[in-house]
């Protein structure tokens, strides 16, 4: 079971994903208008993997936390699981 925390700061949000025993899996700064890559934590999820997006905003609903994004290859808007966003290596 992973734990997702988002800390809102003045100009960015800090996304932290921790595993069940507390180890840090991913920590990134989410800044509106910056480019990110989709990299799902589940190795079996191949849909949209490695697609580049521009982060727009964070949305929450009863099913979880999502990131509103704009895909760079099609310029279309989309909604992705917040844990799928990752920085370029």
């Amino acid at each position: 079971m992973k734990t997702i925390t988002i800390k809102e700061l003045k100009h960015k949000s800090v996304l932290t994903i921790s595993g069940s025993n507390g180890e840090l899996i991913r920590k990134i700064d989410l800044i509106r208008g910056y480019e990110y890559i989709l990299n799902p934590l589940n190795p079996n999820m191949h849909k949209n993997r490695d697609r580049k997006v521009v982060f727009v905003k964070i949305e929450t609903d009863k099913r979880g936390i999502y990131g509103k994004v704009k895909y760079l290859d099609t310029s279309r808007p989309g909604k992705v699981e917040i844990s799928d966003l990752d920085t370029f290596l």
Side-chain angles (χ1 to χ4, degrees):
M1 177 87 180
K2 63 185 177 204
T3 304
I4 299 173
T5 58
I6 298 176
K7 184 176 181 181
E8 298 284 339
L9 300 175
K10 190 171 186 177
H11 298 290
K12 66 180 177 181
S13 301
V14 179
L15 170 69
T16 306
I17 304 170
S18 303
S20 58
N21 59 355
E23 85 277 4
L24 183 65
I25 296 173
R26 185 179 290 166
K27 182 175 182 176
I28 61 172
D29 294 335
L30 295 175
I31 303 171
R32 289 184 178 153
Y34 278 52
E35 294 181 9
Y36 296 90
I37 194 164
L38 294 180
N39 184 17
L41 295 174
N42 182 349
N44 297 322
M45 291 293 295
H46 298 289
K47 184 178 180 181
N48 293 330
R49 183 178 294 275
D50 296 329
R51 285 184 78 182
K52 294 178 182 172
V53 298
V54 172
F55 176 70
V56 178
K57 68 178 183 174
I58 295 173
E59 280 192 354
T60 58
D61 63 16
K62 55 188 162 196
R63 292 185 289 147
I65 303 171
Y66 296 94
K68 293 283 281 189
V69 298
K70 178 181 171 186
Y71 291 99
L72 290 177
D73 55 354
T74 61
S75 295
R76 290 180 174 235
K79 186 170 22 171
V80 298
E81 285 190 36
I82 198 77
S83 61
D84 291 351
L85 293 172
D86 201 358
T87 55
F88 290 109
L89 298 178

